[in-house]
Amino acid sequence: MADPLWMLAGLAATSVAGLVATLGWYRRRRQAAARAADRTAVGGEASREFHLPPTIEAAEREMAMLLRRMRAYLRDPYDYATSRIVGEAAFEMCLDRAGILGARIAELGGAAPTGPSEHERTRGLILEGLMAGHRMAAQTGGGVATRQGVHPPSREVRSRSRLRSK
């Protein structure tokens, strides 16, 4: 027969372990809620802790890089080497980042900080601009203008334009 003292010690150890686990879960949940409340960003949602550039020039460089990546993703969603965007969720994150950078550029230029509705409007304008550029590239043959000149369209775009001309 088991010694009652050992049974009592086992029961105490089990209850202490459960108590510690419960307290740890409660503490983590409370800390996460406090962090989310501290990081409320433009748009009323918790920010993804983006580093905001200190100058307009740095913000514009970062915005240009994001726009190039998003254009490359719209051209070919499976070309990760060019766009560095893995999927739709990453594209949305880039779009959010571009909206936040747009607001930062405006703030550095002297504009008042924007609210949630202005953030959504900026995000929508950026997406509209990307989609319009994507449609124009498809209609004109798909050449991409760069500093080195116009790159010829990809094989896929050329094959689509041949189908239209027939």
Side-chain angles (χ1 to χ4, degrees):
M1 178 157 178
D3 188 11
L5 184 60
W6 285 108
M7 287 177 37
L8 184 62
L11 182 62
T14 305
S15 63
V16 168
L19 179 67
V20 168
T22 304
L23 288 176
W25 173 79
Y26 177 73
R27 183 171 156 232
R28 280 190 303 273
R29 199 174 94 188
R30 205 174 72 210
Q31 285 175 345
R35 269 187 263 128
D38 288 343
R39 312 185 298 239
T40 49
V42 179
E45 57 189 54
S47 76
R48 292 177 177 87
E49 296 183 1
F50 292 129
H51 165 74
L52 294 176
T55 64
I56 292 176
E57 292 80 18
E60 286 175 344
R61 277 193 305 273
E62 207 167 316
M63 176 75 89
M65 181 209 44
L66 280 174
L67 292 175
R68 274 194 307 272
R69 286 181 178 179
M70 289 190 289
R71 279 189 215 109
Y73 179 80
L74 288 174
R75 256 192 325 273
D76 185 7
Y78 300 105
D79 187 9
Y80 172 73
T82 303
S83 69
R84 302 275 194 255
I85 297 175
V86 179
E88 288 292 321
F91 183 83
E92 288 292 322
M93 196 165 137
C94 283
L95 192 55
D96 281 342
R97 174 77 172 149
I100 291 170
L101 278 172
R104 176 67 176 169
I105 291 169
E107 283 179 26
L108 290 171
T114 60
S117 62
E118 187 65 24
H119 174 69
E120 286 302 315
R121 186 172 119 4
T122 303
R123 199 173 175 274
L125 289 172
I126 291 169
L127 186 58
E128 276 182 34
L130 287 169
M131 295 307 290
H134 181 65
R135 283 191 298 268
M136 288 291 290
Q139 289 173 356
T140 60
V144 180
T146 64
R147 290 183 191 156
Q148 290 80 25
V150 176
H151 286 288
S154 66
R155 272 185 260 139
E156 179 185 319
V157 173
R158 276 187 266 158
S159 64
R160 276 191 264 143
S161 61
R162 278 191 222 133
L163 290 174
R164 281 190 209 139
S165 63
K166 289 182 182 180

